[in-house]
């Protein structure tokens, strides 16, 4: 009983450590006072103020363009990379290299990408951020799809080929539907990672095309404002909706497949 209580105490303390700061941000986003440490009543005034900020709106537009583009590219390339590794390689060396960008420190990856862009004389802008985020998120997509591939039944593909379907048709009609839950999960993860990624974007973006995390950093250097709390709360709910939507879509695809 003592051990059980200790485990529960540690669990609840860990959850409080993780989520209490987030709860504070959410609560303070409804504070009527501009002073973050003084509660003066409930108010929604800071939420319209977010949309009236030119810096936030510009950063949001840039971030949505980058996140959507990186999600599509990373999902496509990461899925093909995972399928190629699963089918045509043996051992773990190439697999380790494929998912290395997900394990490397963001600072190291950012400096390496910036050096590569300089070597190739590629000007910085939204396109460079998209390339950088694609390289970063593609490793996560590949890892998720590889895990899904490990549980597929190879006899289904063999049966499709024996019945006269070509490799391309077999992949589209047999393999891809089975991979769809993993692909969807990888796409959602790629979008959310790109949405709030700061270090790589800071090194690979041009000063004239800041992403939303860069714009927020510029605002909080002199202190957190109520608008930032409101923006963080909205991003939190968007992320939660994306995760719930991905879970629902994954469940639907599983039901359709079965």
């Amino acid at each position: 009983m003592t051990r059980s209580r200790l485990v529960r105490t540690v669990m609840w303390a860990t959850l409080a450590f993780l989520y209490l700061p987030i709860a504070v941000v959410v609560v303070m986003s409804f504070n009527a006072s501009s002073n973050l440490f003084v509660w003066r009543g409930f108010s929604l005034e800071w939420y319209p103020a977010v949309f009236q900020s030119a810096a936030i709106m510009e950063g949001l537009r840039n971030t949505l363009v980058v996140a959507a583009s990186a999600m599509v590219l990373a999902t496509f390339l990461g899925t093909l990379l995972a399928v190629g590794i699963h089918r045509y390689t043996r051992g773990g060396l190439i697999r380790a290299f494929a998912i290395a960008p997900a394990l490397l420190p963001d600072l190291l990856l950012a400096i390496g990408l910036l050096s590569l862009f300089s070597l190739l004389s590629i000007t910085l802008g939204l396109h460079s951020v998209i390339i950088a985020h694609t390289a970063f998120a593609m490793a996560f997509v590949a890892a998720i799809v590889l895990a899904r591939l490990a549980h597929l039944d190879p006899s289904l593909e063999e049966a499709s080929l024996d019945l006269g379907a070509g490799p391309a048709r077999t992949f589209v009609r047999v393999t891809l539907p089975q991979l769809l839950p993993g692909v969807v999960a990888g796409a959602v993860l790629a979008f959310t990672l790109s949405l709030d990624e700061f270090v790589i974007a800071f090194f690979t973006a041009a000063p004239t095309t800041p992403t939303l995390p860069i714009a927020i950093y510029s605002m909080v250097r002199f202190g957190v404002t109520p608008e930032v709390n409101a923006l963080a709360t909205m991003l939190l709910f968007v992320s939660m909706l994306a995760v719930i939507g991905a879970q629902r879509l994954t469940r639907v695809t599983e039901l359709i497949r079965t």
Side-chain angles (χ1 to χ4, degrees), residues 233-254:
T233 302
M234 288 189 287
L235 290 176
L236 172 64
F237 282 103
V238 169
S239 301
M240 291 174 58
L241 289 175
V243 172
I244 294 173
Q247 290 178 340
R248 295 290 184 181
L249 182 59
T250 300
R251 185 175 301 177
V252 170
T253 54
E254 287 283 4

Side-chain angles (χ1 to χ4, degrees), residues 146-161:
L146 277 170
R148 183 71 181 179
L149 282 165
H151 295 86
L152 296 189
D153 186 0
S155 62
L156 296 177
E157 292 185 345
E158 295 174 0
S160 176
L161 294 172

Side-chain angles (χ1 to χ4, degrees), residues 63 66-68 70-71 74-75 99 101-103 106 109 129-130 132-144 185-201 211-213 235 238-239 242-243:
T63 293
V66 170
M71 178 188 68
T75 303
I99 65 175
L103 305 176
D106 288 355
L109 184 60
V129 184
I130 291 172
H133 281 193
T134 299
F136 172 66
M138 185 173 63
F140 291 91
V141 176
I144 294 174
V188 173
L189 181 59
F191 182 82
T192 55
L193 286 174
S194 179
L195 194 67
D196 62 358
E197 204 289 319
F198 171 75
V199 176
I200 297 176
T211 60
L212 185 59
L235 290 176
V238 169
S239 301
V243 172

Side-chain angles (χ1 to χ4, degrees), residues 4-257:
S4 177
R5 289 177 181 175
L6 178 61
V7 171
R8 287 200 298 268
T9 302
V10 173
M11 180 190 69
W12 287 112
T14 303
L15 291 175
F17 176 77
L18 291 174
Y19 291 103
L20 188 59
I22 299 176
V24 171
V25 170
V26 174
V27 171
M28 287 303 173
S29 69
F30 299 103
N31 186 9
S33 173
S34 59
N35 188 339
L36 299 180
F37 304 101
V38 178
W39 178 263
R40 292 184 178 174
F42 181 87
S43 175
L44 296 174
E45 63 178 302
W46 305 117
Y47 284 86
V50 171
F51 298 98
Q52 295 172 2
S53 172
I56 291 178
M57 286 295 98
E58 180 185 5
L60 180 60
R61 285 192 296 268
N62 293 336
T63 293
L64 291 177
V65 171
V66 170
S69 303
M71 178 188 68
V72 173
L73 293 174
T75 303
F76 177 75
L77 296 176
T79 301
L80 294 182
L81 177 63
V83 172
I85 291 174
H86 180 75
R87 288 184 175 178
Y88 305 113
T89 64
R90 295 293 182 268
L93 182 61
I94 297 180
R95 186 185 298 254
F97 274 108
I99 65 175
L103 305 176
L104 292 175
D106 288 355
L107 183 61
L108 177 61
L109 184 60
I111 294 175
L113 289 168
L114 179 60
S115 301
L116 178 64
F117 292 150
S118 299
L119 181 64
L120 299 178
S121 300
I122 298 177
T123 58
L124 300 183
L126 288 184
H127 59 283
S128 59
V129 184
I130 291 172
I131 295 172
H133 281 193
T134 299
F136 172 66
M138 185 173 63
F140 291 91
V141 176
I144 294 174
V145 177
L146 277 170
R148 183 71 181 179
L149 282 165
H151 295 86
L152 296 189
D153 186 0
S155 62
L156 296 177
E157 292 185 345
E158 295 174 0
S160 176
L161 294 172
D162 290 341
L163 291 173
R169 188 175 183 182
T170 298
F171 177 77
V172 174
R173 301 293 296 273
V174 177
T175 306
L176 188 57
Q178 297 182 85
L179 293 179
L180 194 57
V183 172
V184 172
V188 173
L189 181 59
F191 182 82
T192 55
L193 286 174
S194 179
L195 194 67
D196 62 358
E197 204 289 319
F198 171 75
V199 176
I200 297 176
F202 185 80
F203 276 80
T204 57
T208 56
T209 55
T211 60
L212 185 59
I214 297 176
I216 294 175
Y217 172 73
S218 301
M219 296 173 63
V220 302
R221 282 186 300 175
F222 306 104
V224 180
T225 62
E227 293 90 342
V228 173
N229 284 339
L231 178 61
T233 302
M234 288 189 287
L235 290 176
L236 172 64
F237 282 103
V238 169
S239 301
M240 291 174 58
L241 289 175
V243 172
I244 294 173
Q247 290 178 340
R248 295 290 184 181
L249 182 59
T250 300
R251 185 175 301 177
V252 170
T253 54
E254 287 283 4
L255 291 175
I256 293 175
R257 189 170 63 87

